[in-house]
Amino acid sequence: MGIDYSQLHDPNAEYTMRELSAETMGVTRERGGGRDVEITDIQTTMIDGNFPWTLVRIYTDAGTVGTGEAYWGAGVPELIERMTPFLQGENPLDIDRLTEHLVQKMSGEGSIGGVTVTAIAGIEVALHDLAGKILDVPAYQLLGGKYRDEVRVYCDCHTEEEADPDACADEAERVVEELGYDALKFDLDVPSGHEKDRANRHLREPEIEHKASIVEAVTERVGDRADVAFDCHWTFSGGSAKRLAERLEAYDVWWLEDPVPPENHDVQREVTQGTTTPITVGENVYRKHGQRRLLEEQAVDIIAPDMPKVGGMRETQKIADFADLYYVPVAMHNVSSPVATMASAHVGAAIPNSLAVEYHSYELDWWADLVEEDIIEDGYIEIPEKPGLGVTLDMDAVEEHMIDGDELFDEA
């Protein structure tokens, strides 16, 4: 018999001065109009995609169900099980209060950052889907309405010969011409054959020239048919990142992503302010608090929160609002299934400074099969007018691609 994570003992969760439950806060007034709904259960199912996606379902006494998704990773289902008792009996329409309620209840278990925030985000996305269905409005309407009918998608591209500039250029042209994308991203933290030590973060000049050759080949091949970004995955030292960014100033780089590790904001600021190559950061910091210094200190040209990782849909909107104070656009990092991808698109529709949403699964031929609706067409996501997120899980596909040993959550 497995562990019942909902019954774990945590004094911080059992007693907190900032208790935000409906009972403690006195939120008891009847709402009417079909809005007197209570959460009865929360369940998860993990999908074995190119990342282990955790799908989240919230059930209610009215029979209405909301579906969301947390950022991938171990421990998320257990944390969601842990938090389920905190939401049972609550009205799912109080999204902000319930999200903050979970942050407070889980403060002793890491709700400042990391996988606990990820688990909360998955619940928060499901709450938006559920609230939209209860109120009969699309999720973007819950965020204040929309600025655009469709959201641009950038395709994260890969090739078996990822260190070969010509192979990367060939793949870029194929994705543009055959798949219809006008926004791409390639990895730059690839072996060049010139490395001396993979641990010290230093780039030798031949390595920089190799990376510049990839950038040159890809950007010149696609020309003005597509914008192209390049990802470094937090790999290089500050000095090496500066030299690389300066070397790439000669090319039409949409952005250079995560050139240095995320912990030291001072180094990040120096790199960004020392080059005209646009620098993008944000997927590895949590909630609006984590993004604050990046924006206040102008340490980033484009902010890249990952919606189901950073804290959810409204948290991402709050980050976007803060970014807009500094005239910084938002390019949402996204490695999700169709569920959180569509949720990110709803956020992208509702914020003024949306640049694009990432798509990281173009090599996974069954990605789109997880839902009944079409998601991406010609490099864009059209925002649905159906209630909630506007996507319907294909339960047969979900069951087929479940992680071995997991259980399928109940049907809606």
Side-chain angles (χ1 to χ4, degrees):
M1 184 175 179
I3 298 171
D4 184 355
Y5 289 94
S6 67
Q7 299 303 312
L8 291 182
H9 174 65
D10 177 3
N12 289 289
E14 292 161 14
Y15 176 77
T16 172
M17 287 299 294
R18 197 162 183 262
E19 167 75 45
L20 299 178
S21 67
E23 180 180 6
T24 302
M25 296 296 294
V27 182
T28 58
R29 182 173 297 171
E30 293 184 2
R31 307 185 186 204
R35 294 180 293 123
D36 291 322
V37 179
E38 290 188 3
I39 295 171
T40 57
D41 195 16
I42 306 175
Q43 300 176 16
T44 62
T45 293
M46 189 175 284
I47 303 297
D48 190 12
N50 54 333
F51 296 86
W53 301 311
T54 298
L55 302 182
V56 183
R57 268 219 162 141
I58 299 179
Y59 300 83
T60 67
D61 61 351
T64 309
V65 172
T67 302
E69 180 180 350
Y71 187 83
W72 67 275
V76 175
E78 290 84 357
L79 282 163
I80 290 175
E81 181 182 344
R82 169 83 180 103
M83 291 184 281
T84 295
F86 303 147
L87 293 189
Q88 287 173 321
E90 293 279 357
N91 191 309
L93 296 177
D94 296 336
I95 299 174
D96 256 12
R97 179 178 60 80
L98 295 182
T99 302
E100 188 63 19
H101 179 48
L102 294 180
V103 169
Q104 293 299 316
K105 296 289 275 187
M106 299 296 288
S107 59
E109 298 175 61
S111 60
I112 292 175
V115 69
T116 306
V117 173
T118 292
I120 293 171
I123 293 172
E124 195 260 14
V125 174
L127 286 172
H128 277 87
D129 186 48
L130 179 54
K133 291 174 179 176
I134 293 170
L135 300 175
D136 196 27
V137 296
Y140 73 79
Q141 203 70 64
L142 302 173
L143 302 175
K146 62 182 177 180
Y147 283 84
R148 51 193 66 84
D149 290 330
E150 58 183 12
V151 171
R152 192 182 188 192
V153 175
Y154 73 90
C155 184
D156 191 295
C157 302
H158 300 273
T159 173
E160 292 182 1
E161 301 174 87
E162 60 183 356
D164 182 347
D166 290 333
C168 291
D170 290 343
E171 181 65 359
E173 186 164 43
R174 186 187 77 84
V175 171
V176 171
E177 291 297 321
E178 296 182 14
L179 304 185
Y181 290 91
D182 64 0
L184 318 174
K185 186 169 77 175
F186 283 84
D187 292 344
L188 272 192
D189 57 325
V190 295
S192 67
H194 301 290
E195 293 84 7
K196 296 295 184 182
D197 187 328
R198 295 181 64 87
N200 62 24
R201 302 190 187 281
H202 178 69
L203 281 174
R204 301 173 62 239
E205 197 60 30
E207 295 176 78
I208 289 178
E209 287 304 312
H210 171 258
K211 298 181 190 314
S213 69
I214 294 175
V215 173
E216 180 179 29
V218 172
T219 56
E220 290 190 357
R221 181 73 67 86
V222 301
D224 61 4
R225 292 177 294 167
D227 293 313
V228 188
F230 297 90
D231 198 346
C232 300
H233 293 108
W234 339 284
T235 302
F236 309 127
S237 68
S240 292
K242 289 178 186 178
R243 289 163 49 229
L244 175 62
E246 183 179 6
R247 179 66 179 84
L248 300 184
E249 288 175 357
Y251 306 111
D252 185 14
V253 174
W254 200 16
W255 70 70
L256 187 65
E257 184 170 326
D258 288 318
V260 295
E263 297 92 347
N264 193 319
H265 285 228
D266 295 328
V267 175
Q268 177 64 58
R269 182 185 63 247
E270 291 173 6
V271 171
T272 299
Q273 295 182 359
T275 180
T276 60
T277 299
I279 303 296
T280 299
V281 182
E283 69 176 273
N284 272 332
V285 289
Y286 293 84
R287 305 179 67 213
K288 58 183 181 291
H289 308 285
Q291 313 277 346
R292 178 180 62 84
R293 282 191 64 194
L294 288 171
L295 294 162
E296 284 183 343
E297 299 179 11
Q298 299 181 53
V300 61
D301 295 304
I302 300 167
I303 200 79
D306 190 300
M307 185 278 299
K309 180 179 185 180
V310 77
M313 296 173 70
R314 286 186 61 78
E315 191 74 9
T316 303
Q317 184 182 39
K318 293 171 185 177
I319 292 166
D321 288 342
F322 192 36
D324 203 38
L325 295 177
Y326 295 88
Y327 317 127
V328 171
V330 178
M332 276 177 270
H333 183 268
N334 174 60
V335 294
S336 301
S337 84
V339 176
T341 299
M342 182 59 84
S344 293
H346 275 276
V347 177
I351 61 176
N353 46 345
S354 175
L355 192 61
V357 172
E358 183 175 11
Y359 172 49
H360 206 289
S361 304
Y362 79 116
E363 297 169 299
L364 194 67
D365 59 7
W366 54 264
W367 182 87
D369 297 340
L370 287 176
V371 296
E372 296 177 4
E373 298 81 6
D374 293 329
I375 303 297
I376 303 172
E377 294 188 20
D378 297 324
Y380 285 77
I381 297 175
E382 183 176 348
I383 309 303
E385 288 299 318
K386 294 167 62 177
L389 297 181
V391 292
T392 308
L393 287 179
D394 184 318
M395 295 296 283
D396 291 335
V398 171
E399 186 172 19
E400 179 183 354
H401 297 291
M402 278 194 313
I403 294 284
D404 288 344
D406 202 0
E407 294 184 4
L408 184 66
F409 45 40
D410 293 340
E411 293 241 23

Coordinates of all heavy atoms in Angstrom, one line a residue, residues 248-321:
L248 N 28.0 37.7 -31.6 CA 26.7 37.4 -32.3 C 26.0 38.7 -32.7 O 25.0 38.7 -33.4 CB 25.8 36.6 -31.5 CG 26.3 35.2 -31.1 CD1 25.2 34.4 -30.3 CD2 26.8 34.4 -32.3
E249 N 26.6 39.9 -32.3 CA 25.9 41.1 -32.6 C 25.9 41.4 -34.2 O 25.1 42.2 -34.6 CB 26.7 42.3 -32.0 CG 26.5 42.3 -30.5 CD 27.3 43.4 -29.8 OE1 28.1 44.1 -30.4 OE2 27.1 43.6 -28.5
A250 N 26.7 40.7 -34.9 CA 26.8 40.9 -36.3 C 25.6 40.2 -37.0 O 25.3 40.4 -38.2 CB 28.1 40.3 -36.9
Y251 N 24.8 39.3 -36.3 CA 23.8 38.5 -36.9 C 22.4 39.0 -36.4 O 22.3 39.6 -35.4 CB 24.0 37.0 -36.7 CG 25.4 36.6 -37.1 CD1 26.3 36.2 -36.1 CD2 25.8 36.6 -38.4 CE1 27.6 35.8 -36.5 CE2 27.0 36.2 -38.8 CZ 28.0 35.8 -37.8 OH 29.2 35.5 -38.2
D252 N 21.4 38.5 -37.2 CA 20.0 38.9 -36.8 C 19.5 37.9 -35.8 O 18.7 37.0 -36.1 CB 19.1 38.9 -38.1 CG 17.7 39.4 -37.8 OD1 17.5 39.9 -36.7 OD2 16.8 39.2 -38.7
V253 N 19.9 38.0 -34.5 CA 19.5 37.1 -33.5 C 18.3 37.7 -32.8 O 18.3 38.8 -32.3 CB 20.7 36.9 -32.5 CG1 20.2 36.1 -31.3 CG2 21.9 36.3 -33.2
W254 N 17.2 36.9 -32.7 CA 16.0 37.3 -32.1 C 16.3 37.5 -30.6 O 15.9 38.5 -30.0 CB 14.9 36.3 -32.3 CG 13.5 36.7 -32.1 CD1 13.1 38.0 -32.0 CD2 12.3 35.9 -32.0 NE1 11.7 38.0 -31.8 CE2 11.2 36.7 -31.8 CE3 12.1 34.5 -32.0 CZ2 9.9 36.3 -31.6 CZ3 10.9 34.0 -31.8 CH2 9.8 34.9 -31.7
W255 N 16.9 36.5 -30.0 CA 17.4 36.6 -28.6 C 18.4 35.5 -28.3 O 18.4 34.4 -29.0 CB 16.3 36.6 -27.6 CG 15.5 35.3 -27.4 CD1 16.1 34.2 -26.8 CD2 14.2 35.0 -27.7 NE1 15.1 33.2 -26.7 CE2 13.9 33.7 -27.3 CE3 13.2 35.7 -28.3 CZ2 12.7 33.1 -27.4 CZ3 11.9 35.1 -28.4 CH2 11.7 33.8 -28.0
L256 N 19.2 35.7 -27.4 CA 20.2 34.7 -26.8 C 19.6 34.4 -25.4 O 19.5 35.2 -24.6 CB 21.6 35.3 -26.7 CG 22.7 34.3 -26.3 CD1 22.9 33.2 -27.3 CD2 24.0 35.0 -26.1
E257 N 19.3 33.1 -25.2 CA 18.6 32.7 -24.0 C 19.5 32.1 -23.0 O 20.3 31.2 -23.3 CB 17.5 31.7 -24.4 CG 16.5 31.3 -23.3 CD 15.4 30.5 -23.8 OE1 14.9 30.8 -24.9 OE2 14.9 29.6 -23.1
D258 N 19.3 32.5 -21.7 CA 20.0 31.9 -20.6 C 21.5 31.6 -20.8 O 22.0 30.5 -20.7 CB 19.3 30.6 -20.2 CG 17.9 30.8 -19.6 OD1 17.8 31.7 -18.8 OD2 17.0 30.1 -19.9
P259 N 22.3 32.7 -21.1 CA 23.7 32.4 -21.3 C 24.5 32.1 -20.1 O 25.6 31.5 -20.2 CB 24.2 33.7 -22.0 CG 23.2 34.8 -21.5 CD 21.9 34.1 -21.4
V260 N 24.0 32.6 -18.9 CA 24.7 32.3 -17.6 C 23.7 31.6 -16.7 O 22.5 31.7 -16.8 CB 25.2 33.6 -17.0 CG1 26.3 34.2 -17.9 CG2 24.1 34.6 -16.7
P261 N 24.3 31.0 -15.6 CA 23.4 30.3 -14.6 C 22.4 31.4 -14.0 O 22.8 32.6 -13.9 CB 24.4 29.8 -13.6 CG 25.6 29.6 -14.3 CD 25.7 30.7 -15.3
P262 N 21.3 30.9 -13.5 CA 20.2 31.9 -13.1 C 20.4 32.4 -11.7 O 19.7 33.4 -11.3 CB 19.0 31.0 -13.1 CG 19.5 29.6 -12.8 CD 20.8 29.5 -13.5
E263 N 21.3 31.9 -10.8 CA 21.3 32.4 -9.4 C 21.8 33.8 -9.2 O 21.3 34.5 -8.3 CB 22.1 31.4 -8.6 CG 21.6 30.0 -8.6 CD 22.2 29.1 -9.7 OE1 22.8 29.6 -10.6 OE2 22.0 27.9 -9.6
N264 N 22.8 34.2 -10.0 CA 23.5 35.5 -9.7 C 23.0 36.6 -10.6 O 23.4 36.6 -11.8 CB 25.0 35.3 -9.9 CG 25.8 36.5 -9.3 OD1 25.4 37.7 -9.5 ND2 26.9 36.2 -8.6
H265 N 22.1 37.4 -10.1 CA 21.4 38.4 -11.0 C 22.4 39.5 -11.4 O 22.3 40.2 -12.4 CB 20.2 39.0 -10.2 CG 19.0 38.2 -10.2 ND1 17.8 38.6 -10.5 CD2 18.9 36.9 -9.9 CE1 16.9 37.6 -10.4 NE2 17.6 36.6 -10.0
D266 N 23.4 39.7 -10.5 CA 24.4 40.8 -10.9 C 25.2 40.4 -12.2 O 25.4 41.3 -13.0 CB 25.4 40.9 -9.7 CG 24.8 41.4 -8.4 OD1 23.8 42.2 -8.6 OD2 25.2 41.1 -7.4
V267 N 25.6 39.1 -12.3 CA 26.3 38.7 -13.5 C 25.3 38.8 -14.7 O 25.7 39.2 -15.8 CB 26.8 37.3 -13.3 CG1 27.4 36.8 -14.7 CG2 27.9 37.2 -12.2
Q268 N 24.0 38.4 -14.5 CA 23.1 38.4 -15.5 C 22.9 39.9 -16.0 O 22.8 40.1 -17.3 CB 21.7 37.9 -15.0 CG 20.6 38.0 -16.0 CD 20.8 37.1 -17.2 OE1 21.0 35.9 -17.1 NE2 20.9 37.7 -18.4
R269 N 22.8 40.8 -15.1 CA 22.7 42.2 -15.5 C 23.9 42.7 -16.3 O 23.7 43.4 -17.3 CB 22.5 43.1 -14.3 CG 22.3 44.6 -14.6 CD 22.3 45.4 -13.3 NE 23.5 45.3 -12.6 CZ 23.7 44.8 -11.4 NH1 22.7 44.2 -10.8 NH2 24.9 44.7 -10.8
E270 N 25.1 42.3 -15.9 CA 26.3 42.8 -16.6 C 26.3 42.2 -18.0 O 26.7 42.9 -19.0 CB 27.5 42.3 -15.8 CG 27.7 43.0 -14.5 CD 28.9 42.4 -13.7 OE1 29.6 41.5 -14.2 OE2 29.0 42.9 -12.5
V271 N 25.9 41.0 -18.2 CA 25.9 40.4 -19.5 C 24.9 41.1 -20.4 O 25.2 41.5 -21.6 CB 25.6 38.9 -19.4 CG1 25.3 38.3 -20.9 CG2 26.7 38.1 -18.8
T272 N 23.7 41.3 -19.9 CA 22.6 41.9 -20.7 C 23.0 43.3 -21.1 O 22.8 43.7 -22.3 CB 21.3 41.9 -19.9 OG1 20.9 40.5 -19.6 CG2 20.2 42.6 -20.7
Q273 N 23.5 44.1 -20.2 CA 23.8 45.5 -20.4 C 25.1 45.7 -21.2 O 25.4 46.8 -21.6 CB 23.8 46.3 -19.1 CG 22.5 46.3 -18.4 CD 22.4 47.1 -17.1 OE1 23.5 47.6 -16.7 NE2 21.3 47.2 -16.5
G274 N 25.9 44.6 -21.4 CA 27.1 44.7 -22.1 C 27.1 44.3 -23.6 O 28.1 44.2 -24.2
T275 N 25.8 44.1 -24.1 CA 25.7 43.7 -25.5 C 24.5 44.3 -26.1 O 23.5 44.6 -25.4 CB 25.7 42.2 -25.6 OG1 25.6 41.8 -27.0 CG2 24.6 41.6 -24.8
T276 N 24.5 44.4 -27.4 CA 23.2 44.7 -28.2 C 22.5 43.5 -28.6 O 21.4 43.6 -29.1 CB 23.6 45.6 -29.4 OG1 24.4 44.9 -30.3 CG2 24.2 46.9 -29.0
T277 N 23.1 42.3 -28.4 CA 22.3 41.1 -28.7 C 21.2 40.9 -27.6 O 21.5 41.0 -26.4 CB 23.3 39.9 -28.6 OG1 24.3 40.0 -29.6 CG2 22.5 38.6 -28.8
P278 N 20.0 40.8 -28.0 CA 18.9 40.7 -27.0 C 19.1 39.5 -26.1 O 19.4 38.4 -26.6 CB 17.6 40.6 -27.8 CG 18.0 41.2 -29.2 CD 19.4 40.8 -29.4
I279 N 18.9 39.6 -24.8 CA 19.1 38.5 -23.9 C 17.8 38.2 -23.2 O 17.0 39.1 -22.8 CB 20.1 38.9 -22.7 CG1 21.5 39.3 -23.4 CG2 20.3 37.7 -21.8 CD1 22.2 38.2 -24.1
T280 N 17.5 36.9 -23.2 CA 16.2 36.4 -22.6 C 16.5 35.5 -21.4 O 17.3 34.6 -21.5 CB 15.4 35.7 -23.7 OG1 15.1 36.6 -24.7 CG2 14.1 35.2 -23.1
V281 N 15.7 35.7 -20.3 CA 15.9 34.9 -19.1 C 14.5 34.8 -18.5 O 13.6 35.6 -18.7 CB 16.9 35.6 -18.1 CG1 17.1 34.8 -16.9 CG2 18.2 35.9 -18.8
G282 N 14.3 33.8 -17.6 CA 13.1 33.8 -16.8 C 12.5 32.4 -16.4 O 11.8 32.3 -15.5
E283 N 12.9 31.4 -17.2 CA 12.2 30.1 -16.9 C 12.7 29.5 -15.6 O 12.0 28.6 -15.1 CB 12.5 29.1 -18.1 CG 13.9 28.6 -18.1 CD 14.2 27.6 -19.2 OE1 14.0 26.4 -18.9 OE2 14.5 28.0 -20.3
N284 N 13.8 29.9 -15.0 CA 14.3 29.2 -13.8 C 14.2 30.1 -12.6 O 14.9 29.8 -11.6 CB 15.8 28.8 -14.0 CG 15.9 27.4 -14.6 OD1 15.0 26.6 -14.4 ND2 16.9 27.2 -15.4
V285 N 13.3 31.1 -12.6 CA 13.0 31.8 -11.4 C 11.5 31.7 -11.2 O 10.7 31.5 -12.1 CB 13.5 33.3 -11.4 CG1 15.0 33.4 -11.3 CG2 13.0 34.0 -12.7
Y286 N 11.0 31.8 -9.9 CA 9.7 31.5 -9.6 C 8.9 32.7 -9.1 O 9.4 33.5 -8.4 CB 9.7 30.4 -8.5 CG 10.2 29.1 -9.1 CD1 11.6 28.8 -9.1 CD2 9.4 28.1 -9.6 CE1 12.1 27.6 -9.6 CE2 9.9 26.9 -10.1 CZ 11.2 26.7 -10.1 OH 11.7 25.5 -10.6
R287 N 7.6 32.7 -9.5 CA 6.6 33.7 -9.1 C 7.1 35.1 -9.5 O 8.2 35.3 -10.0 CB 6.3 33.5 -7.6 CG 5.8 32.1 -7.3 CD 5.5 32.0 -5.8 NE 4.4 32.8 -5.4 CZ 4.2 33.4 -4.3 NH1 5.2 33.3 -3.3 NH2 3.2 34.1 -4.0
K288 N 6.3 36.0 -9.2 CA 6.6 37.4 -9.6 C 7.8 37.9 -8.8 O 8.6 38.7 -9.3 CB 5.4 38.3 -9.4 CG 4.8 38.4 -8.1 CD 3.6 39.3 -8.0 CE 3.0 39.4 -6.6 NZ 2.4 38.1 -6.2
H289 N 8.0 37.4 -7.6 CA 9.1 37.8 -6.8 C 10.5 37.4 -7.4 O 11.4 38.2 -7.3 CB 9.0 37.2 -5.4 CG 7.6 37.4 -4.8 ND1 7.3 38.7 -4.2 CD2 6.6 36.6 -4.6 CE1 6.0 38.6 -3.8 NE2 5.6 37.4 -4.0
G290 N 10.5 36.2 -8.0 CA 11.7 35.8 -8.6 C 12.1 36.6 -9.9 O 13.3 36.7 -10.2
Q291 N 11.1 37.1 -10.6 CA 11.4 37.9 -11.8 C 11.7 39.4 -11.5 O 12.1 40.1 -12.3 CB 10.1 37.8 -12.7 CG 9.5 36.5 -12.9 CD 10.2 35.7 -14.0 OE1 11.0 36.2 -14.7 NE2 10.0 34.4 -14.0
R292 N 11.4 39.8 -10.2 CA 11.4 41.2 -9.9 C 12.8 41.9 -10.2 O 12.8 42.9 -10.9 CB 11.1 41.4 -8.4 CG 11.1 42.9 -8.0 CD 10.8 43.0 -6.5 NE 11.7 42.3 -5.6 CZ 12.9 42.8 -5.2 NH1 13.3 44.0 -5.6 NH2 13.7 42.1 -4.4
R293 N 13.9 41.3 -9.7 CA 15.2 42.0 -9.9 C 15.6 42.0 -11.4 O 16.2 42.9 -11.8 CB 16.2 41.3 -9.1 CG 16.2 41.6 -7.6 CD 17.5 41.1 -6.9 NE 18.7 41.7 -7.4 CZ 19.9 41.3 -7.2 NH1 20.1 40.2 -6.4 NH2 21.0 41.9 -7.7
L294 N 15.2 40.9 -12.1 CA 15.6 40.9 -13.5 C 15.0 42.1 -14.2 O 15.6 42.7 -15.1 CB 15.0 39.6 -14.2 CG 15.7 38.3 -13.8 CD1 14.9 37.1 -14.4 CD2 17.1 38.3 -14.4
L295 N 13.8 42.5 -13.9 CA 13.1 43.6 -14.5 C 13.5 45.0 -13.9 O 13.8 45.9 -14.6 CB 11.6 43.4 -14.4 CG 11.1 42.2 -15.2 CD1 9.7 41.8 -14.7 CD2 11.1 42.5 -16.7
E296 N 13.5 45.1 -12.6 CA 13.9 46.3 -12.0 C 15.3 46.8 -12.3 O 15.5 48.0 -12.5 CB 13.8 46.2 -10.4 CG 12.4 46.2 -9.9 CD 12.3 46.2 -8.4 OE1 13.4 45.8 -7.8 OE2 11.3 46.5 -7.8
E297 N 16.2 45.8 -12.4 CA 17.6 46.2 -12.7 C 17.9 46.1 -14.2 O 19.1 46.2 -14.6 CB 18.5 45.3 -11.9 CG 18.3 45.4 -10.4 CD 19.2 44.5 -9.6 OE1 20.1 43.9 -10.2 OE2 19.0 44.3 -8.4
Q298 N 16.9 46.0 -15.0 CA 17.0 45.9 -16.5 C 18.1 44.9 -16.9 O 19.0 45.2 -17.7 CB 17.3 47.3 -17.0 CG 16.2 48.3 -16.7 CD 16.4 49.6 -17.3 OE1 16.6 49.8 -18.4 NE2 16.2 50.6 -16.4
A299 N 18.0 43.7 -16.3 CA 18.9 42.6 -16.5 C 18.5 41.7 -17.6 O 19.0 40.6 -17.8 CB 19.2 41.9 -15.2
V300 N 17.4 42.0 -18.3 CA 16.8 41.2 -19.3 C 16.2 42.1 -20.4 O 15.6 43.1 -20.1 CB 15.8 40.2 -18.6 CG1 14.7 40.9 -18.0 CG2 15.3 39.2 -19.7
D301 N 16.3 41.6 -21.6 CA 15.6 42.4 -22.7 C 14.3 41.8 -23.0 O 13.3 42.5 -23.4 CB 16.5 42.3 -24.0 CG 17.8 43.0 -23.8 OD1 17.8 44.2 -23.5 OD2 18.9 42.4 -24.0
I302 N 14.1 40.5 -22.8 CA 12.9 39.8 -23.0 C 12.7 38.8 -21.8 O 13.6 38.1 -21.5 CB 12.8 39.0 -24.3 CG1 13.0 39.9 -25.5 CG2 11.5 38.2 -24.5 CD1 13.3 39.2 -26.8
I303 N 11.5 38.8 -21.2 CA 11.3 37.9 -20.0 C 10.7 36.7 -20.5 O 9.8 36.7 -21.4 CB 10.5 38.6 -18.9 CG1 10.7 38.0 -17.6 CG2 9.0 38.8 -19.3 CD1 11.9 38.3 -16.9
A304 N 11.1 35.5 -19.9 CA 10.6 34.2 -20.5 C 10.1 33.3 -19.3 O 10.7 32.3 -19.1 CB 11.7 33.5 -21.2
P305 N 9.0 33.7 -18.6 CA 8.5 32.8 -17.6 C 7.9 31.5 -18.3 O 7.4 31.6 -19.4 CB 7.4 33.6 -17.0 CG 6.9 34.6 -18.0 CD 8.2 34.9 -18.8
D306 N 8.0 30.4 -17.5 CA 7.3 29.2 -18.0 C 6.0 29.1 -17.2 O 6.0 28.9 -15.9 CB 8.2 28.0 -17.7 CG 7.6 26.7 -18.4 OD1 6.5 26.3 -18.0 OD2 8.3 26.2 -19.3
M307 N 4.9 29.3 -17.8 CA 3.6 29.5 -17.1 C 3.3 28.4 -16.1 O 3.0 28.7 -14.9 CB 2.5 29.7 -18.1 CG 1.1 30.1 -17.5 SD 0.2 28.6 -16.8 CE 0.0 27.7 -18.4
P308 N 3.3 27.1 -16.4 CA 2.9 26.1 -15.4 C 4.1 25.8 -14.5 O 3.9 24.9 -13.6 CB 2.6 24.9 -16.3 CG 3.4 25.1 -17.5 CD 3.5 26.6 -17.8
K309 N 5.2 26.5 -14.6 CA 6.3 26.4 -13.6 C 6.4 27.6 -12.7 O 6.6 27.4 -11.5 CB 7.6 26.2 -14.4 CG 8.8 26.0 -13.6 CD 10.0 25.9 -14.5 CE 11.3 25.6 -13.7 NZ 12.5 25.4 -14.5
V310 N 6.1 28.7 -13.2 CA 6.3 30.0 -12.5 C 5.3 30.3 -11.4 O 5.5 31.0 -10.5 CB 6.5 31.2 -13.5 CG1 5.1 31.6 -14.0 CG2 7.2 32.3 -12.9
G311 N 4.1 29.6 -11.6 CA 3.0 29.8 -10.6 C 1.6 29.8 -11.2 O 0.7 30.0 -10.4
G312 N 1.5 29.8 -12.5 CA 0.2 29.7 -13.1 C -0.1 30.8 -14.0 O 0.7 31.7 -14.3
M313 N -1.4 30.9 -14.4 CA -1.8 31.8 -15.4 C -1.9 33.3 -14.9 O -1.4 34.2 -15.5 CB -3.2 31.4 -16.0 CG -3.2 30.1 -16.7 SD -4.8 29.4 -17.2 CE -5.2 30.6 -18.5
R314 N -2.5 33.5 -13.7 CA -2.5 34.8 -13.2 C -1.2 35.3 -12.7 O -0.9 36.5 -12.8 CB -3.6 34.9 -12.1 CG -5.0 34.8 -12.6 CD -6.0 35.0 -11.5 NE -5.9 36.3 -10.8 CZ -6.3 37.5 -11.3 NH1 -6.9 37.5 -12.5 NH2 -6.2 38.6 -10.6
E315 N -0.4 34.4 -12.2 CA 1.0 34.8 -11.8 C 1.8 35.2 -13.0 O 2.5 36.2 -12.9 CB 1.7 33.6 -11.1 CG 3.0 34.0 -10.4 CD 2.7 34.8 -9.1 OE1 1.6 34.9 -8.6 OE2 3.7 35.3 -8.5
T316 N 1.6 34.6 -14.1 CA 2.3 35.0 -15.3 C 1.8 36.3 -15.8 O 2.6 37.2 -16.3 CB 2.2 33.9 -16.4 OG1 2.6 32.6 -15.9 CG2 2.9 34.3 -17.7
Q317 N 0.5 36.5 -15.7 CA 0.0 37.8 -16.1 C 0.5 38.9 -15.2 O 0.8 40.0 -15.7 CB -1.6 37.8 -16.0 CG -2.2 39.1 -16.5 CD -3.7 39.1 -16.3 OE1 -4.3 38.6 -15.3 NE2 -4.4 39.6 -17.3
K318 N 0.7 38.7 -13.9 CA 1.2 39.7 -13.0 C 2.7 40.0 -13.4 O 3.1 41.1 -13.4 CB 1.1 39.2 -11.6 CG -0.3 39.1 -11.1 CD -0.3 38.4 -9.7 CE -1.8 38.2 -9.2 NZ -1.9 37.5 -8.0
I319 N 3.4 38.9 -13.8 CA 4.8 39.1 -14.3 C 4.8 40.0 -15.5 O 5.6 40.9 -15.7 CB 5.5 37.8 -14.5 CG1 5.7 37.1 -13.2 CG2 6.8 38.0 -15.3 CD1 6.1 35.6 -13.4
A320 N 3.9 39.7 -16.4 CA 3.8 40.5 -17.7 C 3.4 41.9 -17.4 O 4.0 42.9 -18.0 CB 2.8 39.9 -18.6
D321 N 2.5 42.2 -16.4 CA 2.2 43.5 -16.1 C 3.4 44.3 -15.5 O 3.6 45.5 -15.8 CB 1.1 43.5 -15.0 CG -0.3 43.1 -15.6 OD1 -0.4 43.2 -16.8 OD2 -1.1 42.8 -14.8

